[in-house]
Amino acid sequence: MSFNLSDYIVEIVDCLHATAPYTEKGHALIRTTDIQNGRLLLEQTMRVSDATYEKWTQRSVPEEGDLIMAREAPVGAVGIVPKNTKVCLGQRTVQIIPDRDVIYPKYLLYALTHPKTQRLIERYTVGSTVKRINVRDILKLNIPLNLPGLETQKDIADNIYLYDEKIQLNRDLMIQLETYAQLLFRKWFADFNFPNENGKPYKDSGGDMIEVGGKLIPKKWNSVKFKELFSFEKGVIPNEIFEENCGAKKPYLTIEFLEEGKGEFTDDQPNLLKSRDLDILMVMDGSRSGKVFTAIDGYVGSTLAKIVPKEEIYRDIGYMFLKMRERAISNRTTGSAVPHTSKNYVNSLVLNFPEDKNELSTFAEKFSVLREKILLLQKENMLLSETRDLHIHKLIK
């Protein structure tokens, strides 16, 4: 059984082929990288003004239940517009408007993200360097799945969507914890307003400061270049990779795996670089160079490096420091065709911290606890995503 996509939609609306001007606040602009696992990652989108929103939605205003598909990078990624949300299309995306009289929007979402449909989309892609799918080919899609009655569609899709709602709740909590950790780190290690012996902000309460390298830092603090505390170890490509986790295999950590909880697995091989929970990973090659991740137990991918502290006490402080400088590192990449993280730039960054190891350990423990909480939520989302996908395979055939 199958059904033609064109028979069950009102229209496919292509994006405006221009780069929108960004603003600090405003309406969400959905780029291809903002579509993941059936969701629009609204927390990370660029924002546009009212005027830009009006111009970018002249062809059509995306409404609740409409779908947005990426035509390239990654081809075929689909997300659904949630309620009470104003979004507009970024480049290389399209708006799919379901015919709600014959198909339930969430059912169409899961039908389009189903592996059978994704393989079909892949066959329609063109381009040697960057794969893409044309609008006319999206309209040709003959989705290789059953289409039950509207009420059955609703029951199936709403059941699956419960997992997505829980995943999103966890994502929101992870963002809140990460934001709090960053604000706290900046307060203590950049503004130097950590609690003094009386529990008051150190610098604002007149704490003693000394000049080091032309900058004022707290008395009895060290000022050290990053390379003195950390080293880079580059990941490698395994000799053998498996699509499923069976036996004693562990995740092969790529950007996709770290962000979506989906990817490939491999087993222990002599050349592989192992990672543990809470290790620091950084993207070294490609458009995401400079991005910092928390590792899970597995093997480090070839485009990533593990940032190894000289002493374990520096691990969580190092992660927070790199997250604070993440944008600056991403803006200092090298290479014209393929960007690469500049290790020289990262190594030249200066990290300030207490010289007393007990004081440093107390600070580091605070960030370690926050990172552990985030990692637990991340792992729960991986399990939820796996369970949701099993339901998609079982209920949508």
Side-chain angles (χ1 to χ4, degrees):
M1 296 291 291
S2 63
F3 63 95
N4 293 316
L5 177 63
S6 59
D7 294 335
Y8 291 89
I9 63 174
V10 175
E11 187 181 6
I12 290 184
V13 182
D14 199 4
C15 64
L16 189 63
H17 295 282
T19 301
Y22 304 143
T23 57
E24 187 173 340
K25 296 181 180 180
H27 308 293
L29 178 79
I30 306 301
R31 303 161 299 168
T32 58
T33 52
D34 300 323
I35 307 171
Q36 185 183 103
N37 284 350
R39 302 186 302 278
L40 303 181
L41 305 183
L42 299 172
E43 68 277 0
Q44 72 172 35
T45 61
M46 304 303 290
R47 299 285 160 165
V48 298
S49 65
D50 289 342
T52 300
Y53 174 81
E54 293 293 333
K55 183 176 180 180
W56 256 249
T57 56
Q58 283 180 349
R59 296 177 181 178
S60 176
V61 177
E63 298 180 351
E64 177 187 351
D66 288 349
L67 308 183
I68 298 179
M69 175 184 282
R71 293 200 300 108
E72 66 178 66
V75 177
V78 188
I80 190 166
V81 179
K83 62 182 178 181
N84 302 323
T85 305
K86 296 175 73 172
V87 303
C88 56
L89 302 181
Q91 289 197 73
R92 299 177 293 279
T93 64
V94 295
Q95 173 190 355
I96 300 174
I97 305 174
D99 183 347
R100 289 160 172 80
D101 291 333
V102 291
I103 195 163
Y104 188 54
K106 289 175 185 173
Y107 189 92
L108 181 58
L109 168 71
Y110 295 124
L112 286 170
T113 57
H114 195 285
K116 289 183 179 179
T117 309
Q118 287 293 304
R119 286 193 291 270
L120 178 63
I121 290 172
E122 189 175 349
R123 292 204 292 270
Y124 275 106
T125 58
V126 296
S128 55
T129 305
V130 179
K131 297 293 185 182
R132 66 183 185 279
I133 185 169
N134 295 317
V135 176
R136 63 177 179 272
D137 291 324
I138 298 174
L139 286 166
K140 293 178 184 176
L141 290 176
N142 185 34
I143 298 175
L145 301 166
N146 288 326
L147 186 64
L150 202 55
E151 283 303 314
T152 303
Q153 293 177 36
K154 187 177 187 303
D155 289 342
I156 291 172
D158 285 346
N159 184 31
I160 297 171
Y161 198 69
L162 292 173
Y163 291 96
D164 280 327
E165 287 182 323
K166 175 58 177 172
I167 289 169
Q168 188 58 50
L169 285 173
N170 283 351
R171 285 182 60 86
D172 291 342
L173 183 53
M174 290 163 64
I175 291 167
Q176 291 172 23
L177 289 169
E178 184 71 44
T179 300
Y180 170 70
Q182 281 297 316
L183 289 171
L184 188 64
F185 182 82
R186 186 175 292 276
K187 179 180 179 179
W188 287 359
F189 286 82
D191 300 334
F192 305 126
N193 276 319
F194 51 88
N196 64 13
E197 63 274 10
N198 298 316
K200 303 293 185 181
Y202 179 86
K203 185 178 180 182
D204 288 351
S205 299
D208 291 338
M209 305 290 286
I210 59 173
E211 184 173 333
V212 177
K215 295 184 178 180
L216 291 176
I217 67 170
K219 189 178 180 180
K220 296 184 179 179
W221 273 47
N222 292 323
S223 186
V224 179
K225 286 189 175 181
F226 192 82
K227 66 179 180 181
E228 302 299 327
L229 301 174
F230 298 88
S231 61
F232 289 77
E233 294 185 10
K234 192 74 159 56
V236 296
I237 300 175
N239 295 325
E240 193 171 10
I241 294 178
F242 306 88
E243 290 187 3
E244 295 183 0
N245 184 13
C246 52
K249 297 173 180 59
K250 293 183 179 180
Y252 177 59
L253 299 181
T254 59
I255 296 174
E256 180 185 20
F257 206 112
L258 292 166
E259 288 189 331
E260 303 180 30
K262 293 181 177 180
E264 297 168 316
F265 298 82
T266 189
D267 49 16
D268 195 12
Q269 298 167 25
N271 64 322
L272 294 183
L273 177 61
K274 294 181 179 180
S275 65
R276 302 168 302 160
D277 286 355
L278 298 176
D279 278 348
I280 309 169
L281 299 180
M282 179 178 284
V283 181
M284 303 302 292
D285 309 303
S287 61
R288 307 292 298 281
S289 290
K291 178 72 176 175
V292 181
F293 290 101
T294 293
I296 61 173
D297 188 27
Y299 300 99
V300 181
S302 62
T303 63
L304 302 170
K306 182 167 70 170
I307 311 298
V308 183
K310 300 294 175 64
E311 296 181 47
E312 194 68 13
I313 193 173
Y314 299 122
R315 183 196 65 185
D316 299 296
I317 300 299
Y319 170 83
M320 298 306 306
F321 176 75
L322 290 174
K323 288 298 289 186
M324 184 177 71
R325 303 301 296 267
E326 190 174 50
R327 179 170 293 184
I329 295 169
S330 296
N331 289 337
R332 294 293 191 97
T333 56
T334 61
S336 54
V338 178
H340 303 283
T341 295
S342 172
K343 286 199 294 186
N344 289 336
Y345 175 70
V346 177
N347 281 329
S348 71
L349 296 174
V350 175
L351 179 59
N352 303 304
F353 57 92
E355 63 182 34
D356 182 88
K357 289 290 183 70
N358 289 328
E359 185 179 7
L360 177 59
S361 178
T362 300
F363 290 167
E365 178 64 21
K366 179 71 173 181
F367 299 108
S368 178
V369 170
L370 289 168
R371 293 185 68 210
E372 286 172 358
K373 289 180 178 179
I374 294 169
L375 186 60
L376 285 173
L377 290 167
Q378 181 182 347
K379 288 184 174 182
E380 183 181 4
N381 273 1
M382 289 179 180
L383 290 173
L384 287 167
S385 294
E386 184 178 348
T387 306
R388 180 204 57 195
D389 291 346
L390 288 172
H391 275 68
I392 291 174
H393 291 189
K394 179 181 178 181
L395 299 174
I396 303 178
K397 301 179 181 179

